[in-house]
Amino acid sequence: PNSVRPWPITAVLAAATAALLMAGCSEKKTLDAAAQAAAKVNKEEITVAQINHVLQQQRGLKPEQAEAASKQILERLIDQEVAVQKATEMKLEREPRVALQLEAARREVLSRAFLEKAGEAASKPAAEEVAKYFEANPALFKDRRIYSLQEIAIEAKPEQISSLRTQLGQARNMAEFVEYLKANDIRFNANQAVRAAEQLPLPSLATFSAMKDGQAILNATPNGAQVVVLAGSRSQPVTLQQATPAIEQFLLNERKREILIKDVKALRDAATIEYVGKYAASGAASASAGGAAT
């Protein structure tokens, strides 16, 4: 009877080598495509990788817009390159101001790269954690509302805040309070806004969720005070399923932030840091208070 003969070991090795070479060639083609020149400006090349890098930073760009956008980006890169070449010819990189800006950009890129790398250690939150956060924040989800707000930014001195708060409490409506501001030559600026629960500052959301239509609050600001009136609201709840992606991203970002704070603190503790000159006293106080925020 016919039998299937096994492949010689040399044939197996040859087939495996061919497969690896094909995979390597495919990867090389991808890298080569990215490194491919899109234009030459004098002796310098502008590559497809440079265009793609800028393209990836364009938010809200639709796939069908990518081709036209890449051409516009190339033209901007050409404009940039001719300017860079002229600046180099003029030795502008040696000017103190330019040298400082170049070094600041380098430091920003490197530090951000480290922080992004460190943040990769954060694990995705479990379904139980997502559900717990959902239940703990009803104002964001189950009891979510859309708020129609009237905002009044008031220019005032710190000693005027108490009287403004009293007058707001005594006013029968906002029109009466505005008349008070006008009568006392108190400068203000009013506007209206519609904001969902997640668009409000998280620390103040509990206050807004407890407010009834027509109620107002006054908060002191560096320039005076801000009055916010809840002109109206409507219920628009969100289910756990709908909220899960946003909650997962929020909790993941929180984990990354905690990791970064811990890692940067460890780096600061391991480093020799000496404050000098006018920064000696304030620097020592900052260090004892826990260092800088990440």
Side-chain angles (χ1 to χ4, degrees):
N2 294 332
S3 60
V4 178
R5 298 178 59 190
W7 279 22
I9 188 64
T10 52
V12 174
L13 289 174
T17 303
L20 288 173
L21 286 173
M22 288 177 66
C25 287
S26 177
E27 184 177 349
K28 186 175 184 300
K29 285 180 181 178
T30 302
L31 295 174
D32 288 345
Q36 181 181 354
K40 288 187 177 181
V41 182
N42 297 321
K43 295 182 179 180
E44 298 297 325
E45 291 185 346
I46 296 175
T47 65
V48 174
Q50 289 174 279
I51 296 173
N52 290 340
H53 175 70
V54 179
L55 198 61
Q56 289 167 3
Q57 298 174 34
Q58 308 300 309
R59 294 184 179 180
L61 190 69
K62 297 178 181 178
E64 60 269 20
Q65 298 173 321
E67 185 67 25
S70 64
K71 293 178 180 178
Q72 294 177 355
I73 291 169
L74 175 58
E75 295 304 320
R76 292 206 302 269
L77 290 174
I78 290 173
D79 291 344
Q80 185 183 68
E81 181 59 33
V82 295
V84 167
Q85 290 182 19
K86 189 62 178 179
T88 304
E89 180 185 325
M90 297 168 66
K91 296 181 172 54
L92 295 182
E93 73 276 9
R94 298 182 185 181
E95 291 189 1
R97 176 179 61 85
V98 178
L100 281 172
Q101 290 176 338
L102 289 172
E103 178 58 21
R106 174 182 171 276
R107 290 164 59 86
E108 174 67 20
V109 170
L110 286 174
S111 63
R112 186 173 294 277
F114 163 74
L115 295 176
E116 289 176 353
K117 192 70 175 177
E120 291 176 2
S123 58
K124 182 179 178 181
E128 294 78 10
E129 295 173 275
V130 173
K132 182 179 178 180
Y133 187 84
F134 179 87
E135 293 297 334
N137 294 274
L140 278 172
F141 308 113
K142 290 191 293 186
D143 300 330
R144 177 176 177 266
R145 293 156 69 190
I146 306 297
Y147 300 88
S148 296
L149 306 173
Q150 294 177 346
E151 300 171 338
I152 303 177
I154 303 171
E155 294 182 20
K157 297 177 182 178
E159 56 268 23
Q160 294 178 291
I161 302 301
S162 178
S163 61
L164 285 171
R165 198 182 302 277
T166 300
Q167 188 62 36
L168 179 64
Q170 294 175 349
R172 289 171 294 182
N173 50 53
M174 283 308 300
E176 186 174 308
F177 179 71
V178 168
E179 286 302 319
Y180 166 82
L181 297 177
K182 291 178 178 179
N184 288 272
D185 294 325
I186 299 174
R187 299 180 63 180
F188 67 93
N189 182 42
N191 70 291
Q192 296 182 342
V194 176
R195 295 192 175 93
E198 64 274 13
Q199 294 174 316
L200 296 172
L202 198 56
S204 63
L205 180 58
T207 300
F208 280 103
S209 65
M211 290 173 63
K212 297 180 180 179
D213 293 353
Q215 287 187 317
I217 57 172
L218 184 147
N219 294 315
T221 65
N223 297 322
Q226 182 190 45
V227 174
V228 181
V229 185
L230 179 57
S233 65
R234 68 180 188 273
S235 176
Q236 196 171 91
V238 173
T239 66
L240 175 59
Q241 183 179 2
Q242 292 171 320
T244 292
I247 296 176
E248 286 179 342
Q249 188 61 55
F250 174 79
L251 294 178
L252 181 61
N253 289 342
E254 283 295 292
R255 288 184 177 181
K256 288 182 178 181
R257 187 179 66 84
E258 291 170 2
I259 289 173
L260 297 184
I261 291 175
K262 180 180 177 181
D263 285 359
V264 171
K265 183 180 184 303
L267 291 173
R268 287 174 65 98
D269 291 344
T272 301
I273 302 173
E274 180 182 359
Y275 295 94
V276 297
K278 67 178 182 180
Y279 300 103
S282 60
S286 297
S288 62
T294 301

